[in-house]
Amino acid sequence: MKVILVGYGRMGKMIEELLAARGDVEILGAVSPGLYESPWDVPGKPDALIDFSYPGNLETTLARAEDAASAVILGTTGLTAEQVERVGAAARRVPVVFDANFSLGVAVLRKALAQVGPLLLKCGFDAEIVETHHNRKADAPSGTAKALLCAIDPAGDYAPVYGREGLVGARGREIGVHAVRGGTVAGEHRALFFGEDETLEFRHFAASRRIFAAGAVRALDFAVGRAPGLYRVDDVLGLNDIRGGENP
């Protein structure tokens, strides 16, 4: 498989490290300042583009993939609604694995919350989401936190409240979403449910970015040669074949 890496920061280098250990993958080049300026500048015909960079690279990544009929592994967060629509349009022409988080644990957590969250809300529990990331993360709240919010409340019946300040009064029909930034934390996500005299907490902690890089490599194997479509990590891992409900 011939691969173009879009973004050559910590994630890009970790993905490169995992791919370099394989004999069936050739990295055609990496798009980053000082290397290739655009996917169009990378020579050769790619089988896939892996993009964990920033929203500004999205259009050239998708256009290059459409031109080469190659797969896209997309882990960029902070996209606008229009950019998400653009991803969907590209997925009608090429296979795209697009997700906010490529770890196995988060995929399972999201599926569990899709079952448990609506039930607890129906029973009168209050829900809060707290996410923690390193001090260099650009967007807040994280894409994963937004995905967990969607799992808990797929119909959007509860208003998201992004932090609280001042005399906010009694809690309404809402779900609080809170972003914490500091140090080198790879990622922690907590979903908390508060009832009468009892609390449930679901937590995922990432010890390093390697779990996300490993998920991207697994998605690469899944996507290359597959029919066009918009896929998630759940599809890569076969979680949608497990009984117990669908993704939000």
Side-chain angles (χ1 to χ4, degrees), residues 109-174:
L109 173 62
R110 188 170 56 200
K111 191 171 185 68
L113 289 177
Q115 300 303 304
V116 175
L119 176 60
L120 290 173
L121 292 178
K122 184 177 179 180
C123 292
F125 280 71
D126 297 320
E128 299 279 304
I129 297 170
V130 182
E131 57 96 345
T132 304
H133 282 88
H134 53 89
N135 57 21
R136 301 179 70 179
K137 183 170 178 59
D139 57 314
S142 68
T144 302
K146 294 177 182 178
L148 298 184
L149 175 64
C150 183
I152 294 169
D153 179 30
D157 293 329
Y158 291 73
V161 177
Y162 299 105
R164 297 183 181 88
E165 181 181 7
L167 299 173
V168 297
R171 182 190 182 96
R173 192 175 176 83
E174 64 191 40

Side-chain angles (χ1 to χ4, degrees), residues 42-63:
V42 181
K45 184 178 184 296
D47 296 302
L49 287 86
I50 302 178
D51 186 348
F52 279 72
S53 59
Y54 73 103
N57 282 329
L58 179 70
E59 179 55 38
T60 53
T61 293
L62 296 179

Side-chain angles (χ1 to χ4, degrees), residues 11 14-15 18 102 209-220:
M11 268 297 296
M14 193 166 292
I15 292 171
L18 295 179
F102 275 71
R209 292 176 180 79
R210 182 170 292 274
I211 61 173
F212 311 129
V217 172
R218 194 164 182 170
L220 172 69

Side-chain angles (χ1 to χ4, degrees), residues 71-72 74 87 91 94-99 102 110 219 222-223 225-236 240:
V72 179
L74 181 62
V87 173
V94 297
V96 179
V97 181
F98 174 42
D99 218 315
F102 275 71
R110 188 170 56 200
F222 169 89
R226 194 165 292 270
L230 185 59
Y231 303 97
R232 301 178 71 182
V233 172
D234 303 54
D235 300 302
V236 174
N240 290 330

